[in-house]
Amino acid sequence: GGAPAGGAAGTTSFDAVVRWDVRATSSPFRSDALGDVPAAAAMRLRGAGEVRPDGAFRTIGDENTVRVDLTVGERSIETGPVAADVRSARATLDGRYGLVVPANGGALALEVDGRVDWDVHGNAVRVHVPDGASVRAAEVRTTGGGRLTARVGGAGDALVLRDGTYALDVRGPMGISGLRTDRLTIDDLGLDGAVHAEGSVAMTGNRVTFDGSASTDVEVVGAGIVEAFGMERGTSARARVERGSRIAADLDAARLDLSMGEASAPGPVGAPVVVDAAGRGRVEAGLDLSDVRIVARDGGVEGGRVRIDGALGVDGSLAGGLTEGSGRATVRLDDDARVSATGLARDEASGTIAAAARTHEIVRGDTLSRLAARYGTTVAALKAENGLASDTIHVGRTLRIPGGTTRVVTRPADRSGHLTTTLAAGSTATLDVASARTLADGSFELTGRVSSRVVVSTTDVAAGLLEARILGAARASLDGDLRLRVANGEARVSTGRLEVPVRLDLAPGSRVAFGLPGRRFETSLDRPGSYAEFVAVCRVVDGRLELDELARVDLLLVSSADLGVAEHGVTVGVHGDKTVRYAGRVVLRDRGVDLFGELSVGVRGGDDRPIVRIDW
């Protein structure tokens, strides 16, 4: 009701209160985005408003309520980044609203505050994400609800969902194609299985956050390519993930932030952009890989089939890195793999200089005897200079080095050395991860224990004074503590004391050559039965291998091939059947080697040929 009010000459104004109760149904309806939609919509709109003298209108009181029930039947849709065949969709909105319509045709302002619930079931769902990637699934169902606040006009458009809950189930064949980031590429990967997630959901503007639990158990049904890029430039790993591979995860705390609408990262407008993903739980994988290629700065690995089995507990995020992780991973070669390394030292320069007293900070692996040899002094002099009563020294402390002579060894001038070898099928390596985490400075640290059983054949090496081609099977076992630290794109590995049992069966055709200035020593094996067995005592310090000694050495070399040594125009040839036996231990010094134990060399010939011939 209301009444006209007087106004300027020739005008009429109204001051009135209007009440309404509207019920409406629609089936089907048309949408600019979806076209003709086979749907049933029911709406009831109740409220009251006032018309002001200037013609403006606004709702009043607390009886402005709205309820909308929408049911969509089977329908193919494609909107923004999502395309799907909808089997059924239900949505309900029940709440209050406010409406303001300014005078003189100004833009209206609408606010809705209520409860929204949904149940959407779709088939053949495809989602296009930035950079042209697509994710597809055969069947997707999502249910949920929450408190929705929406505003159009007035102080600006806004859409907020709070106190929301959701459940998501993805089943049947799935696939990932064209996914490329700065660290990972996935292409043509087909999966089958199930994914389930549930928890709370919140939305503000174009940002949606999901918090809850998630589980997945999928099997690879279509082989695809996966490539990972390391932080160190030029380092990458690429493999074909074969059918039968399996990935399972149970995350008891999972978080996913999505930015919807205009992407903050490069990509099509309207594409979802992952802002961050985090989780805490357990991940298991059983991967069958083929065509494996690992490229490193100074070498690489090329292999046929590789099996990786792992089970890890994880807690971390994309943005913050791994907060904590632990578990086990095992790698097994089902086919041979070729390993190559370049940049091995081919040459060194050395000399001695007189030195005054100086200091040395003790690092892991240092002993008084090693330091005495390094600085050209004696253990007694070191103990006297530092007031030591025993041979025990401690990492991190500083020793005073008495004057004397010091051996200087420069960095290798020629890094053209190389090693090429074959890891045979059946070789395995297992890593027990005690802790894996991202530190406050952004570096990554992993500690644990590593064990491996390796079979090697056909090794070619050129390093320093040595050139060798070794044929036959070499078997080695390794067990020890491991520490990996990655900082500023550089990875450094350190271990505790390692005792590595090695058995090397030398096949005919193996060859060893030593080259010295003005001389060369070369021998080859032409008979079966040669072998070498020992325990390598070593450690790795910041990626550098330190070999202390070869313990429990058992060596047998048999050959009837001629052996020759040439120096300054003199050639010495050794003929006949040669046998070398050695049992003991080998200690490596700086620029030297000590052999302890028993060594015997035998040469046997006949009357028709000398066992030694010397020509000059």
Side-chain angles (χ1 to χ4, degrees):
T11 66
T12 303
S13 63
F14 292 89
D15 185 1
V17 174
V18 181
R19 301 181 185 276
W20 57 89
D21 188 346
V22 179
R23 293 177 175 84
T25 58
S26 174
S27 180
F29 70 90
R30 180 170 182 78
S31 164
D32 291 338
L34 306 179
D36 293 325
V37 179
M43 180 181 69
R44 183 175 185 180
L45 193 68
R46 302 175 62 190
E50 64 177 1
V51 180
R52 296 190 172 184
D54 61 359
F57 172 83
R58 68 178 182 126
T59 53
I60 58 174
D62 58 1
E63 297 180 358
N64 301 287
T65 60
V66 59
R67 180 178 177 86
V68 178
D69 293 297
L70 176 64
T71 301
V72 179
E74 294 187 4
R75 166 71 180 172
S76 296
I77 64 170
E78 186 167 354
T79 175
V82 180
D85 293 332
V86 177
R87 295 179 63 179
S88 64
R90 293 185 177 88
T92 300
L93 172 65
D94 193 354
R96 300 179 182 276
Y97 69 94
L99 177 66
V100 175
V101 181
N104 303 320
L108 62 82
L110 172 66
E111 291 190 11
V112 178
D113 186 1
R115 171 81 188 181
V116 63
D117 294 281
W118 67 85
D119 183 345
V120 180
H121 193 183
N123 290 344
V125 178
R126 299 177 302 280
V127 180
H128 298 280
V129 295
D131 300 325
S134 65
V135 179
R136 62 187 184 277
E139 182 179 357
V140 177
R141 182 169 187 176
T142 176
T143 60
R147 189 170 183 83
L148 180 70
T149 301
R151 182 177 65 239
V152 178
D157 298 344
L159 185 64
V160 176
L161 177 68
R162 57 188 185 276
D163 301 328
T165 60
Y166 76 97
L168 173 69
D169 286 284
V170 183
R171 297 182 180 277
M174 297 168 256
I176 304 174
S177 299
L179 178 64
R180 292 174 177 83
T181 71
D182 58 345
R183 291 279 178 252
L184 184 68
T185 295
I186 301 177
D187 203 12
D188 295 332
L189 186 64
L191 308 169
D192 195 1
V195 177
H196 175 77
E198 62 181 42
S200 63
V201 57
M203 179 172 60
T204 303
N206 67 342
R207 186 162 182 167
V208 186
T209 301
F210 300 90
D211 279 292
S213 62
S215 64
T216 180
D217 192 343
V218 295
E219 181 179 344
V220 175
V221 295
I225 300 297
V226 176
E227 186 169 11
F229 302 91
M231 289 185 290
E232 186 175 352
R233 186 175 180 181
T235 301
S236 64
R238 183 180 186 274
R240 180 180 174 89
V241 183
E242 295 293 346
R243 297 179 61 178
S245 299
R246 175 179 171 268
I247 301 172
D250 283 300
L251 303 179
D252 53 19
R255 179 182 179 89
L256 180 66
D257 282 344
L258 297 178
S259 177
M260 309 293 291
E262 293 189 4
S264 58
V269 173
V273 178
V274 176
V275 178
D276 190 18
R280 182 180 69 243
R282 180 178 175 85
V283 179
E284 297 181 3
L287 302 178
D288 285 311
L289 308 179
S290 66
D291 301 328
V292 176
R293 287 189 305 179
I294 301 175
V295 179
R297 182 174 56 184
D298 293 324
V301 178
E302 294 183 14
R305 300 187 71 88
V306 178
R307 173 77 183 185
I308 300 178
D309 291 286
L312 298 173
V314 296
D315 183 359
S317 70
L318 291 179
L322 191 63
T323 303
E324 192 64 46
S326 62
R328 166 177 282 199
T330 299
V331 179
R332 184 184 75 242
L333 297 182
D334 290 336
D335 281 336
D336 291 351
R338 182 174 178 270
V339 180
S340 62
T342 60
L344 306 180
R346 291 299 305 271
D347 194 15
E348 289 182 336
S350 65
T352 59
I353 60 172
R358 77 215 81 165
T359 60
H360 172 87
E361 184 178 350
I362 300 170
V363 299
R364 194 182 330 180
D366 282 347
T367 64
L368 288 180
S369 59
R370 288 183 180 177
L371 294 177
R374 176 177 177 181
Y375 290 103
T377 185
T378 65
V379 172
L382 281 171
K383 293 170 68 174
E385 181 74 19
N386 294 275
L388 299 176
S390 69
D391 291 345
T392 302
I393 56 177
H394 301 281
V395 173
R397 294 189 179 179
T398 300
L399 288 179
R400 294 189 304 276
I401 308 299
T405 59
T406 299
R407 175 171 288 121
V408 177
V409 180
T410 66
R411 292 180 62 85
D414 179 3
R415 304 292 294 183
S416 60
H418 67 271
L419 179 144
T420 302
T421 191
T422 300
L423 296 179
S427 298
T428 63
T430 298
L431 176 62
D432 285 299
V433 180
S435 173
R437 56 181 179 161
T438 302
L439 304 180
D441 60 3
S443 62
F444 175 78
E445 183 180 68
L446 180 148
T447 59
R449 190 167 184 85
V450 63
S451 61
S452 68
R453 306 292 181 267
V454 177
V455 180
V456 177
S457 63
T458 317
T459 299
D460 290 282
V461 61
L465 308 176
L466 172 68
E467 292 184 12
R469 178 175 177 81
I470 300 174
L471 305 178
R475 292 175 291 278
S477 300
L478 181 149
D479 291 280
D481 296 328
L482 174 73
R483 178 176 178 266
L484 168 67
R485 183 178 175 89
V486 181
N488 301 320
E490 184 177 359
R492 296 197 171 213
V493 177
S494 299
T495 68
R497 174 187 168 95
L498 300 175
E499 293 190 359
V500 184
V502 178
R503 167 77 185 197
L504 175 60
D505 294 310
L506 298 170
S510 298
R511 178 183 62 84
V512 179
F514 290 94
L516 297 172
R519 73 178 71 173
R520 180 178 175 84
F521 169 84
E522 181 172 347
T523 187
S524 60
L525 302 178
D526 63 346
R527 294 170 53 189
S530 297
Y531 68 86
E533 193 165 5
F534 56 86
V535 175
V537 181
C538 58
R539 61 174 55 86
V540 178
V541 180
D542 288 338
R544 184 182 70 255
L545 177 65
E546 294 185 356
L547 179 61
D548 294 335
E549 68 175 72
L550 304 180
R552 301 194 292 277
V553 178
D554 181 10
L555 172 69
L556 174 63
L557 301 178
V558 292
S559 177
S560 59
D562 291 342
L563 184 153
V565 178
E567 180 180 5
H568 304 304
V570 178
T571 301
V572 179
V574 183
H575 313 289
D577 295 331
K578 293 166 284 296
T579 301
V580 177
R581 291 182 178 274
Y582 174 66
R585 66 188 181 100
V586 179
V587 177
L588 285 81
R589 298 182 286 102
D590 183 21
R591 308 285 294 179
V593 177
D594 290 333
L595 277 69
F596 299 84
E598 183 178 347
L599 173 66
S600 63
V601 179
V603 181
R604 182 171 58 85
D607 294 336
D608 58 340
R609 192 179 187 193
I611 60 173
V612 177
R613 170 169 287 173
I614 303 174
D615 296 312
W616 62 86

